[in-house]
Amino acid sequence: MCVLNSDQLEPGMILAGPILMKNGMVLFGKGTELTEAYIERIRSMTLNGISIVERAPLYESREQLLEKLEARFRPVGQQPYMKMLKRLVEERILECDEQEKKEDSRGKSE
Amino acid sequence: MVPVPDNPTDIRILRHRIEKIDMLPTISGVVRRLTKVIGNPKTSLHEISSFISSDPALTSRILKMVNSAVFGFPGRISSVTHALTLLGLDAVRSLLMGVTVLELMQTVMVGLREHSVGCAVAARSIAEIKGLKNLEEVSVAGLLHDIGKVIFLLEFPKDYRTVMEEAEQKEILVMEAEKARFSETHAAAGQWLAEKLFFPGKLTDMIAFHHKPGLARSAPLETAIVHLADILVRALGFGYAGDAFVPAVSPVAFELLDLKERDIREVLKSIENVRASGEDLFW
């Protein structure tokens, strides 16, 4: 973990702790992966002393995606129709993951 | 006059403030400008058109929005007058509120704007599948369905943080935690504002009952659409609406919509397309 100033931030970095606004609202939660747009927002507020854990891979792994999906449905998985919706969402997530991999490998071979 | 209670987190105070609108300090600055125009049901097409055109930033935001996936006129609408002709007065009136609130959203909860845009696109996609004529109505409702959360977050930031923590600890929905703390939910707060601003009855229904679509009276089908859109966007993990998990779908609403599996696949794809393009989210 390291502490950085807002001008040292790069997309893909992960926050080690939440960034809070003056009123106590969480602006970005712990574990948020920074994007260009988020960094711009942080810079516009000139925050310093931001703790970063590590850089994230460009895409989340299939396992991570499915694990998160599992967590999102856990309390409601047994409700009517939710199993079916979860299955369809899972299919969609896997399909997107396949597509991204294909595009990645195409990009590399070129 | 009914005495107003002193406890600032009392929901009656919030309701009173919403109904006065000038008493919502943050929202009122934004809305004050708009209220004259959108808060008056008698405003003419011409008045709205010149109001929007007099503000370049607002014009550009409106045009970007109507030309985005949310409204499905990619690059075809080049002027405010054109937008008004195509979308109609009611849609543009509520759209004015929509683009303004979207801007507020990202300052109060990261991801709420993405959630709302995703919901608008999903709702439109479902409405298209169901063969609805007025797609703009559900798009705008998708953008505005969580407007009550914005009001709560602006008015009671500390309490709302407690509400969110409570929801996380008890593994309940934020909506249920809202009810426990404020005795009303963001859906009710959204309804008060919608009524105050004379939103069309159908839009008010969709905002008020997006979590309880069975209670919708003037737009049961459209409300079921926004209800399901909200759930599908969360299911995909697109944006953030304050909850760690997806709310359960109302079986009655789901059966009313009577979608095939391939329909739902199509809706999910439309949400993914917005995520992939990313362009509509940060303007």
Side-chain angles (χ1 to χ4, degrees), chain B residues 26-27 30 100-109 150 154:
Chain B
T26 342
I27 252 205
V30 168
T100 312
V101 166
L102 279 187
E103 202 147 295
L104 272 180
M105 271 182 187
Q106 68 172 14
T107 66
V108 291
M109 189 193 273
V150 180
L154 288 171

Side-chain angles (χ1 to χ4, degrees), chain B:
Chain B
M1 213 179 115
V2 186
V4 178
D6 288 334
N7 176 4
T9 62
D10 192 303
I11 196 71
R12 280 169 295 176
I13 288 216
L14 181 65
R15 180 165 196 166
H16 178 72
R17 287 192 201 159
I18 291 175
E19 281 164 358
K20 286 260 173 226
I21 208 131
D22 278 352
M23 296 179 70
L24 294 171
T26 342
I27 252 205
S28 71
V30 168
V31 171
R32 195 170 297 132
R33 265 172 2 111
L34 293 180
T35 331
K36 272 195 203 137
V37 182
I38 63 175
N40 178 1
K42 287 181 195 150
T43 309
S44 73
L45 208 68
H46 178 72
E47 280 168 304
I48 291 238
S49 178
S50 44
F51 171 78
I52 301 172
S53 304
S54 67
D55 180 341
L58 192 59
T59 306
S60 114
R61 251 178 263 136
I62 290 266
L63 289 180
K64 264 187 184 153
M65 179 58 88
V66 292
N67 284 308
S68 75
V70 176
F71 286 91
F73 298 105
R76 289 195 281 140
I77 303 184
S78 52
S79 72
V80 172
T81 322
H82 192 187
L84 276 161
T85 323
L86 275 173
L87 299 176
L89 187 59
D90 270 347
V92 173
R93 239 160 49 95
S94 18
L95 184 58
L96 269 172
M97 193 65 202
V99 292
T100 312
V101 166
L102 279 187
E103 202 147 295
L104 272 180
M105 271 182 187
Q106 68 172 14
T107 66
V108 291
M109 189 193 273
V110 175
L112 188 58
R113 170 152 105 177
E114 287 78 358
H115 168 73
S116 305
V117 171
C119 184
V121 171
R124 183 189 177 85
S125 169
I126 302 170
E128 219 167 355
I129 292 165
K130 295 310 294 174
L132 259 67
K133 286 214 178 73
N134 194 339
L135 302 178
E136 286 67 47
E137 222 169 48
V138 293
S139 294
V140 173
L143 289 180
L144 288 174
H145 74 282
D146 272 344
I147 192 170
K149 281 187 190 157
V150 180
I151 300 174
F152 274 146
L153 281 159
L154 288 171
E155 286 294 305
F156 307 128
K158 280 203 188 115
D159 293 80
Y160 209 78
R161 198 169 146 220
T162 318
V163 162
M164 284 173 67
E165 283 166 1
E166 237 168 54
E168 202 181 327
Q169 278 162 15
K170 295 185 185 157
E171 284 205 342
I172 54 172
L173 289 167
V174 164
M175 179 185 47
E176 288 154 6
E178 283 172 355
K179 186 106 188 161
R181 183 152 196 107
F182 300 121
S183 80
E184 288 285 1
T185 70
H186 64 275
Q191 179 182 5
W192 302 332
L193 187 68
E195 283 166 356
K196 166 72 194 172
L197 294 176
F198 300 103
F199 280 179
K202 281 183 164 187
L203 178 58
T204 307
D205 246 26
M206 288 184 261
I207 294 172
F209 304 118
H210 69 272
H211 287 295
K212 293 195 184 315
L215 297 178
R217 284 293 158 264
S218 52
L221 183 65
E222 288 86 345
T223 306
I225 289 175
V226 174
H227 171 72
L228 181 62
D230 181 24
I231 286 164
L232 292 180
V233 172
R234 294 157 179 257
L236 265 179
F238 183 73
Y240 180 63
D243 287 302
F245 61 92
V246 181
V249 71
S250 142
V252 179
F254 195 73
E255 283 153 22
L256 176 70
L257 291 170
D258 189 31
L259 296 173
K260 308 276 174 291
E261 286 196 8
R262 63 156 197 280
D263 297 331
I264 297 171
R265 285 197 188 94
E266 200 179 307
V267 179
L268 292 172
K269 223 173 185 165
S270 73
I271 305 168
E272 279 291 350
N273 286 340
V274 183
R275 194 212 297 260
S277 79
E279 56 173 348
D280 299 325
L281 300 181
F282 301 105
W283 70 85

